[in-house]
Amino acid sequence: MSARQEAEGHEAPASSTTRRAALAAALAMPLAAKPAGGNDATAELITRAAAKNAAFMRGDMQRWAQLVRIAPDFTLMQPFGGPASHGFDSSPERLAEMSRYFRNGKTELEVAKTYASNDLTVLVMIERQTGEVGGLPEQDWSLRVTEVYRKAGSDWELVHRHADALVRRISLEQLSALARGVSRG
């Protein structure tokens, strides 16, 4: 039985609901309070996410900064790994540094799932993109991304972004090496 059916009061046969399934359904319910598919705010956030990602990969950080409002308590889990960072330096110097790091990007946004409530929206996406990053030649830089937006007055602010480059499946051995911090150089 789905979380939606449970939320609507449908009863599952006693033997089919495990403790894990019940917990998962309970955790999913607050974010699934409204179907995200018909939500105008969610559609607008998706449009802005696509535009900001395109600007970012082109190195157009001025445009990117116009398209996204970063929350003061923002957390970032970068595709490079390591601990989460907190806050964001939007100084002209930092934006200029980022502009030099990302160049000539081409992007396409694939939305895998959205969740929305009155004050919170989650976008689960694949950012399919190529470009020149950090002085490396153009290549595929596609990422799996989760972004969390929180309502702030009449606008939405980005409070969390998690991105990783595991768009293609990897083997258990490769995952094990990543988890141990071993890299092939």
Side-chain angles (χ1 to χ4, degrees):
M1 177 175 292
S2 72
R4 182 181 206 181
Q5 289 170 318
E6 288 182 28
E8 292 172 353
H10 297 280
E11 291 186 29
S15 62
S16 71
T17 303
T18 65
R19 184 180 292 167
R20 179 177 282 171
L23 180 59
L27 292 173
M29 283 173 41
L31 291 178
K34 283 195 230 172
N39 186 324
D40 290 343
T42 301
E44 174 61 26
L45 285 172
I46 292 168
T47 299
R48 283 173 42 187
K52 77 174 174 55
N53 184 48
F56 193 92
M57 288 302 293
R58 286 192 315 270
D60 185 354
M61 296 307 157
Q62 296 303 317
R63 179 69 180 138
W64 173 82
Q66 292 170 348
L67 291 166
V68 64
R69 180 175 172 190
I70 304 288
D73 58 341
F74 174 70
T75 58
L76 173 64
M77 297 182 79
Q78 297 188 41
F80 300 106
S85 61
H86 303 276
F88 182 75
D89 177 6
S90 61
S91 68
E93 296 80 17
R94 177 66 176 134
L95 292 179
E97 180 184 329
M98 290 168 54
S99 289
R100 291 187 296 273
Y101 200 76
F102 295 91
R103 292 287 195 209
N104 301 316
K106 297 169 202 73
T107 65
E108 182 179 319
L109 188 65
E110 178 183 316
V111 177
K113 188 74 174 165
T114 64
Y115 303 92
S117 68
N118 290 333
D119 297 326
L120 200 65
T121 297
V122 178
L123 305 180
V124 180
M125 308 169 286
I126 304 290
E127 294 176 348
R128 301 211 181 266
Q129 52 205 8
T130 61
E132 301 165 23
V133 176
L136 296 174
E138 181 176 344
Q139 73 170 55
D140 183 8
W141 289 101
S142 294
L143 300 172
R144 299 184 317 168
V145 174
T146 301
E147 291 185 339
V148 180
Y149 293 86
R150 178 178 58 215
K151 187 79 166 172
S154 62
D155 201 4
W156 292 86
E157 57 187 11
L158 182 60
V159 294
H160 177 74
R161 177 178 165 93
H162 181 187
D164 70 53
L166 297 174
V167 174
R168 289 170 202 80
R169 291 189 64 78
I170 63 172
S171 69
L172 178 61
E173 291 77 18
Q174 290 170 310
L175 178 60
S176 173
L178 284 173
R180 291 189 323 269
V182 176
S183 64
R184 292 188 280 186

